[in-house]
Amino acid sequence: MLHEDRLFPADADTRSVARRLFTEVEKLPLICPHGHTEPLWFSKNENFADPAQLLIVPDHYVLRMLVSQGISLESLGVPDHTGSAKQTDGRAIWRLFAENYYLFRGTPSRLWFDYTLEFLFGVTEPLSAQNADSVYDTISSCLAEQSFKPRALFDRFNIEVLSTTDACTDDLAAHKAIRESDWQGRVVPTYRPDAAIDPDHPDLLSNIEKMGALTNEDVSTWQGYLNAHRERRAYFKSMGATATDHGHPSARTADFSPAECEALYAKVLAGDTDAAEKELFRAQMLTEMAGMSVEDGLVMQLHPGSVRNHNQSIFETFGRDKGFDIPKAVNFVDALHPLLNKYGMDKRLSLILFTLDETTYSRELAPLAGVYPSLKLGPAWWFHDSPAGMMRYREMMTETAGFYNTAGFNDDTRAFPSIPARHDVARRIDCAFLAKQVTEHLLAEEEAHEIAVDLTYRLAKQAYKL
Amino acid sequence: MLHEDRLFPADADTRSVARRLFTEVEKLPLICPHGHTEPLWFSKNENFADPAQLLIVPDHYVLRMLVSQGISLESLGVPDHTGSAKQTDGRAIWRLFAENYYLFRGTPSRLWFDYTLEFLFGVTEPLSAQNADSVYDTISSCLAEQSFKPRALFDRFNIEVLSTTDACTDDLAAHKAIRESDWQGRVVPTYRPDAAIDPDHPDLLSNIEKMGALTNEDVSTWQGYLNAHRERRAYFKSMGATATDHGHPSARTADFSPAECEALYAKVLAGDTDAAEKELFRAQMLTEMAGMSVEDGLVMQLHPGSVRNHNQSIFETFGRDKGFDIPKAVNFVDALHPLLNKYGMDKRLSLILFTLDETTYSRELAPLAGVYPSLKLGPAWWFHDSPAGMMRYREMMTETAGFYNTAGFNDDTRAFPSIPARHDVARRIDCAFLAKQVTEHLLAEEEAHEIAVDLTYRLAKQAYKL
Amino acid sequence: MLHEDRLFPADADTRSVARRLFTEVEKLPLICPHGHTEPLWFSKNENFADPAQLLIVPDHYVLRMLVSQGISLESLGVPDHTGSAKQTDGRAIWRLFAENYYLFRGTPSRLWFDYTLEFLFGVTEPLSAQNADSVYDTISSCLAEQSFKPRALFDRFNIEVLSTTDACTDDLAAHKAIRESDWQGRVVPTYRPDAAIDPDHPDLLSNIEKMGALTNEDVSTWQGYLNAHRERRAYFKSMGATATDHGHPSARTADFSPAECEALYAKVLAGDTDAAEKELFRAQMLTEMAGMSVEDGLVMQLHPGSVRNHNQSIFETFGRDKGFDIPKAVNFVDALHPLLNKYGMDKRLSLILFTLDETTYSRELAPLAGVYPSLKLGPAWWFHDSPAGMMRYREMMTETAGFYNTAGFNDDTRAFPSIPARHDVARRIDCAFLAKQVTEHLLAEEEAHEIAVDLTYRLAKQAYKL
């Protein structure tokens, strides 16, 4: 089903170079420094449930495409916010997906899915309404096997290290269990404090309270609140974390005086902030987090610019992460100014920037990361984690930022089985990009081989201190 | 003059695939769901006037390029706002155009023009100052023939259906005459209410009055005004219309309470609105139109983001549509929020979005259309209705929206003779895009054949319910 | 080291066409209508200093990349704002650069540097830590030769004319000396009045005073201030200048009444302007400069949209032009409206627009320059003066603006030895772009040959009246 030259340029010379480069990196271990897999999978190591529950229901890429063509989330077995699902028959969900599989032509979901079907489950013919049932049966029987338990897959996927994303109030029990087990797989947490920072989060106050309870800090004061973060970061670090992650509506940062911060925090606690003050609090907290990264060495990731839960009725019925997050124009150059004036030249800070607004690639991000020692460029993100998206990323970033201000690839997925597929696409596109540079005589081929390994393996390890 | 492989990729393998795909779609009938041809041409069926009046004077692409190089609109025979033209000698206009034909190198106008010269008028050598007169004579004598009358051309072009764009106050007499004639050509109207909605339109009040007169509704009230639209839409529908079209400065929508709408409408009628209120009224009316589309099934087209009549002196002297409309950055994600919260999940709504701001392709439009069942993506529009423009459209839309959330091609032209040329370019570029996907093993060739037919024919028919 | 086919497309047919086109333009004289070389080099004609001082220390592209990887400006010999440098050992600076030369992979700096090493200094193996010293010695001994004096290089580079950029208060003594020398090289000044216009400039008032002193105008009045500009422009023109240049934070223009201008100017002189008024003064002055260009025929260049000196501590320690200028989103369509309404249709005005915001290429700049006779498009600027940057420029500009509304290439460099390298890249990319148009049958090859010469030579001469 999958051609060995997929994603390589059609031109014969360029394709030959791409092949040679790919041979070099194809088998390298996977570094997975950012994603949304569940640590519980690896601590419990239980077999995954039926194919639809593993591959369809939690995949917001798949859901959104089907919804866009008039298929309801109910019919796809998506539970409502109470956890109750109208469609619980995995086979029926799978059939609906298979009938509509043609919708994914031209999308990365198709690539990931075909790869997973072929290389994980041994399915060699394209999924269709006709073979939906037999493919479902094949996957079902695979999933029941020992060799398809999470740890076995982790090992089979050749994952060297995998970072999960964890609420800052999480006790990391699953991570603890993994560390204490006899399994050697390296799974580490990432400190994600949004829900204890964002005044727009419905549970902010209870999360702050939880931070206080976990650290014995007086979170009713600004300093106590900051100390609580410091201690939780230290705990995460002790459990293997090397990074924090921040998902904000914008990239806005701020640098207020302690007195101003105290006053703003008091308003946040009192629930007495307007939209502008909420934004300022988030902005200030990004700078505080950067300061703590200077102290404790945790790498900082910033994922801004997604308008979450764009449709009110879907949000009310089904909750978050159902495919209704839409990117928005982002300004980094002004937004990061306060943070960069304070910590931008400090080599102890490592801030990895992501964007959904590709116009910022050549206009803002490459120029910023191409001069500030604290900045690195995260890979093409989300909608742009795709062949053409990755190619645009390299084409628009490289000339100003070079290769060595980028942070390698991360798969950023909730869909564990798709991890190898995603790395496969990234490696192929990087080889295709480099091959073009070789045939156009911008790089010597031996340089390209070295860069290919850097992009695939070394840069991610370095950037995330893994 | 025109090479049979024009617009196909240079790589030999990819070109072979493109050729095979093109063979499949080259002869398919033309679906023309959106454009600006005159229904009178087809009701009267009179021979067209001289070559310059047909091909130069009304073509704003041609005018703007010549003006940019210092040639005056006067010398090109463009009438001023009173209808009086300084240059009325078609041959002189034609010579001026021919002398400057080199200016169009690299532009789609050149492609369209060469195609029209060769395939419509049998001219086989490139237009130049030297052959200007003989080409003029050739075209003139063609235009005088029976076989060059509008209906004959419509049939020769293999047009299956053509939608015009008509003011909501139009009596559709020409459409009526076409329907009552013995000619079988299918020409349908489109409901364009801007001039009866936009508070910035100089004739708004008289157009609203006309709406009242045509429908016997009391347009001094908000409900009467809405009813007048409802009735006019019904009339258009009875005359074959399947769609409405809305050209707004922005994509802003709103969802006010009936009381707020009444108050705003009263201010509009009183001519007592500031710029912000004018924008809000247009915004509210988009949502109202979407609601009526849910009721009556008319497909809704939105063409936002053009700053019309950028130069004041040209506008005062010559009026609209003289090449001085300039695109501007557009925000869809916030702008459409009110409308999409109200009707976005309703499958009865079909809203086709266009943009002149290509940054919105991958950032906003593909993510929106890739999840909302009510949204479809119109083809690359106006300045981007060009080979590279269309290629960027596919490259930036497909990975997130797929092929099946796009609405096929429309020619959007005032230049009737160029219709086949425009479809030819679109079909070739789509085949070139698909061929690259085949040679890079993202699609099987047989899938690409199916998609090529979808993009050329099926999707436009479906999206516009034609 | 440099392949003769570098930057040409890999496809064999396209590459052949590119080669043939390049043969046509490779040896054409260099037109250098905009840049930042020092006229003193050519008036004094002294040998350049050591390699590091010539090639590393003043090159902000080189500095920024090294800084981004944690190398300090101090260690690169960059003097602080008092002029004192911590590292003065050229060889040490050079070694540091050579060790980190791999960072420039994929960047235009690498291309320019390799070209300069090979074609100017005869170095034929890639720069590395290993050969750093021997390459340094080679360059050093070259630089000491007669044939490496500035005038000799100017002649060897085949420069037909070179424009410098000079403060409006400059006495142009170096230019005078060049004109009065027996050397035939044509070096002309450009009128750059920013420091006597921008209320954010720290020396604005003393510069205005200087303008008064130089012209005997009463610069305490608005009319006197304008007259001082008129007279200085005339002086520059008498010294060979054909153009002015304006580096503004935005492209904003204004058209206030004389009374409003007087009041605003009075506030500027009193140092009593807020940020908005500063912006308005700059905006008004762009329109005034356009008006003077209509009078005196000087071509006007606008370089907007760079956020200068983004990092406060670097600026305070090292001053301007150290690589910390970051582009920002720009709006041309509204910003230029006042100026274009006043002078846009006047053929006596020639306004050349530059941008760092590539989103404006197809959205605003090509549509504007494709209709206004006063507008031309400057080449891809700064970060986009690179192979992929130039290719995007042609791909996004050409279909709407054509080739003949562009102003050819300029090297815009402070690095004199890199001038031939920069023209080499531009010529190759234009040939590559045109070759693709030929193999895709959009242009006949003989047309492409003519266009190649236009883009390389004729258009720059015409646009800048050189």
Side-chain angles (χ1 to χ4, degrees), chain B residues 11-85:
Chain B
D11 174 72
D13 288 344
T14 318
R15 179 164 288 190
S16 301
V17 179
R19 273 186 203 141
R20 289 196 292 272
L21 294 170
F22 187 63
T23 305
E24 195 99 7
V25 299
E26 185 178 6
K27 307 285 188 199
L28 288 176
L30 309 192
I31 306 296
C32 305
H34 173 71
H36 298 272
T37 51
E38 291 292 336
L40 265 179
W41 294 337
F42 307 106
S43 63
K44 293 194 171 175
N45 199 33
E46 292 173 355
N47 282 87
F48 286 108
D50 77 89
Q53 290 301 328
L54 178 64
L55 299 170
I56 312 295
V57 183
D59 186 330
H60 55 76
Y61 290 92
V62 167
L63 297 180
R64 73 193 323 276
M65 178 61 87
L66 296 171
V67 166
S68 79
Q69 290 281 315
I71 297 165
S72 69
L73 287 173
E74 284 88 347
S75 66
L76 292 164
V78 176
D80 66 21
H81 67 96
T82 70
S84 142

Side-chain angles (χ1 to χ4, degrees), chain A residues 3 6-7 10 15 64 67-70 105 108 110 310-312 327-328 357-359 386-389 392, chain B residues 11 14 333-334 337 340-341 347 359 362-363 367 369-373 395 399 404-405 439-441 447 450-451:
Chain A
H3 195 282
R6 65 192 178 279
L7 297 171
R15 180 165 286 190
R64 73 192 324 277
V67 167
S68 78
Q69 290 281 316
R105 288 167 172 168
R110 154 77 177 266
H310 193 264
N311 189 268
Q312 190 63 23
K328 188 175 169 177
D357 178 358
E358 294 178 298
T359 71
S386 59
R392 285 197 294 272
Chain B
D11 174 72
T14 318
V333 63
D334 297 320
H337 207 194
L340 291 175
N341 262 338
K347 288 181 238 177
T359 71
S362 68
R363 190 181 59 216
V371 74
Y372 276 103
E395 284 167 353
E399 293 187 323
Y404 295 95
N405 287 307
T439 49
E440 295 182 359
H441 305 291
E447 286 179 299
E450 194 180 312
I451 299 168

Side-chain angles (χ1 to χ4, degrees), chain C residues 3-14:
Chain C
H3 195 284
E4 62 179 1
D5 284 335
R6 64 192 177 281
L7 297 171
F8 293 159
D11 174 71
D13 288 344
T14 318

